[in-house]
Amino acid sequence: MELRDRIDFLCKTILAAKTAGRLVLGIDGLSRSGKTTFANQLSQTLREQGISVCVFHMDDHIVERAKRYHTGNEEWFEYYYLQWDIEWLTHHLFRQLKTARQLELQFYHQEADAHTRRIVHLADSDVILVEGVFLQRREWRAFFDFVAYLDCPREIRFAREKDDAKQDIQKFICRYWKAEDYYLQTEEPIKQADVVFDMTS
């Protein structure tokens, strides 16, 4: 199934499931599985069909480096549990998605390693689309009405990394891949998702 076909399929599913109130949709998948591209194209297609969409990228809301590196915990633990302030996002983002007219959120700027606070308006949104890794962790799964999981083999995802990032293979082994394996084993995101798309091609 081509990307366009996956987008069209999901749009039809969303429109069929849409009732009164907002629909909260998650695009889950491991690093470099194509989540951002998928979410951007899906939101554009929904808007073309008259659906108002607000998109959240979870990488916009990670914490400062000092809170996620060299903390004394194992590297995979830092990535899985400390990359985001799970409790803060639970209360200030996820719990508010269905009913809030606006949210005040912290947006991370990588170059400055700092946050700015920004108001996000939700009043007219029909669909809230959230894309990011580990979305189906137990703290957040219940806040989604529908989750699509993008399944892509590790070797393909790794090939999509920048060349300089690939040089530090130990970081992938100890930090990213261990956390991914933990997520797959403990949360079973493929089993829990409402639909799974094979992103091999």
Side-chain angles (χ1 to χ4, degrees), residues 45-98:
T45 302
L46 287 169
R47 289 179 182 122
E48 290 170 355
Q49 299 188 35
I51 301 295
S52 177
V53 185
C54 184
V55 181
F56 291 96
H57 303 281
M58 293 307 296
D59 280 348
D60 288 338
H61 306 289
I62 62 177
V63 301
E64 301 95 327
R65 292 187 187 95
K67 295 180 179 178
R68 53 190 163 94
Y69 283 100
H70 312 299
T71 66
N73 295 285
E74 291 189 50
E75 290 184 67
W76 75 266
F77 185 97
E78 291 178 329
Y79 179 46
Y80 189 79
Y81 284 110
L82 304 182
Q83 184 93 347
W84 298 266
D85 187 332
I86 297 170
E87 184 176 358
W88 194 94
L89 287 168
T90 298
H91 292 288
H92 292 84
L93 174 64
F94 289 103
R95 287 189 186 279
Q96 312 297 323
L97 290 178
K98 282 285 194 180

Side-chain angles (χ1 to χ4, degrees), residues 5-121:
D5 296 326
R6 298 179 187 122
I7 296 291
D8 290 341
F9 172 83
L10 196 50
C11 278
K12 291 176 183 177
T13 302
I14 292 168
L15 293 171
K18 187 76 178 70
T19 58
R22 296 175 188 156
L23 186 143
V24 180
L25 170 66
I27 306 298
D28 189 20
L30 302 179
S31 178
R32 302 292 182 184
S33 59
K35 299 182 298 299
T36 302
T37 299
F38 191 96
N40 289 341
Q41 292 196 22
L42 174 60
S43 62
Q44 179 181 340
T45 302
L46 287 169
R47 289 179 182 122
E48 290 170 355
Q49 299 188 35
I51 301 295
S52 177
V53 185
C54 184
V55 181
F56 291 96
H57 303 281
M58 293 307 296
D59 280 348
D60 288 338
H61 306 289
I62 62 177
V63 301
E64 301 95 327
R65 292 187 187 95
K67 295 180 179 178
R68 53 190 163 94
Y69 283 100
H70 312 299
T71 66
N73 295 285
E74 291 189 50
E75 290 184 67
W76 75 266
F77 185 97
E78 291 178 329
Y79 179 46
Y80 189 79
Y81 284 110
L82 304 182
Q83 184 93 347
W84 298 266
D85 187 332
I86 297 170
E87 184 176 358
W88 194 94
L89 287 168
T90 298
H91 292 288
H92 292 84
L93 174 64
F94 289 103
R95 287 189 186 279
Q96 312 297 323
L97 290 178
K98 282 285 194 180
T99 58
R101 297 182 62 81
Q102 65 180 36
L103 300 176
E104 184 175 355
L105 298 173
Q106 299 184 102
F107 284 77
Y108 179 71
H109 299 278
Q110 183 173 350
E111 295 79 8
D113 188 31
H115 291 95
T116 57
R117 285 190 173 254
R118 193 185 310 167
I119 300 295
V120 180
H121 296 279

